Amino acid sequence: MTEDELSRSSHSNPGKSLANGIKTNPASSSPKSSLSVPMGPPVYVDLAYIPNHCSGKNTDPEFFKRVRASYYVVSGNDAANGEPSRAVLDALLEGKSQWGENLQVTLIPTHDTEVTREWYQQTHEKQQELNIMVLASSSTVVMQDESFPACKIEF
């Protein structure tokens, strides 16, 4: 579809908009149901940030089936909002189990949370089976009045 056709299509359908070239209906109540993404081949990347601070609102096993990364960053640190979400961490296991190839995956949590620790301990055997390594912070960065854990990764 050309750019002119896309423009005409959106003007003739005022209740619809385009997201990544796909028509969406903003009035839909669920973010997952509002975007009908056609199936396609998986995308391989070196590094992927798990969307929305690893919240279960937008990430499910389909994300991990389609976005195949060597490294996934988990940045959630807000237990009150379900970040990181245990369901998303479990979705990584479910999605990766369907890859059909045993590529090494490294999970990089940016915060040491109870949810991440419990998930790590309870699913450690499954992680090993799927060739998933959880990277712990190995050093501390000190900047003026604050310090924080850091990890070094190389590609």
Side-chain angles (χ1 to χ4, degrees), residues 139-152:
S139 62
T140 301
V141 174
V142 178
M143 296 178 63
Q144 294 180 338
D145 297 331
E146 68 176 313
S147 64
F148 50 90
C151 298
K152 177 183 177 183

Side-chain angles (χ1 to χ4, degrees), residues 9-150:
S9 173
S10 64
H11 291 300
S12 65
N13 251 332
K16 304 248 182 202
S17 62
L18 291 176
N20 295 328
I22 299 169
K23 286 185 186 180
T24 62
N25 184 352
S28 178
S29 61
S30 167
K32 289 181 182 177
S33 67
S34 69
L35 185 61
S36 177
V37 179
M39 288 304 298
V43 176
Y44 291 85
V45 295
D46 288 330
L47 179 71
Y49 175 87
I50 298 177
N52 204 20
H53 303 286
C54 198
S55 165
K57 296 175 187 169
N58 301 87
T59 308
D60 59 9
E62 191 63 31
F63 173 80
F64 295 105
K65 291 177 197 172
R66 307 260 322 263
V67 179
R68 299 181 181 187
S70 297
Y71 299 88
Y72 289 101
V73 176
V74 176
S75 70
N77 189 27
D78 185 357
N81 284 321
E83 300 168 3
S85 166
R86 170 67 188 251
V88 173
L89 297 171
D90 289 339
L92 167 62
L93 298 175
E94 183 181 334
K96 172 96 170 53
S97 70
Q98 298 184 31
W99 285 13
E101 50 195 329
N102 198 18
L103 300 173
Q104 170 73 46
V105 166
T106 302
L107 190 67
I108 306 168
T110 60
H111 297 88
D112 182 20
T113 67
E114 188 171 331
V115 170
T116 308
R117 272 184 268 125
E118 285 179 6
W119 175 82
Y120 175 81
Q121 292 170 350
Q122 294 170 359
T123 65
H124 189 68
E125 190 173 302
K126 183 73 170 173
Q127 293 167 43
Q128 288 180 317
E129 177 186 314
L130 293 172
N131 204 13
I132 296 174
M133 179 177 73
V134 179
L135 193 61
S137 62
S138 55
S139 62
T140 301
V141 174
V142 178
M143 296 178 63
Q144 294 180 338
D145 297 331
E146 68 176 313
S147 64
F148 50 90

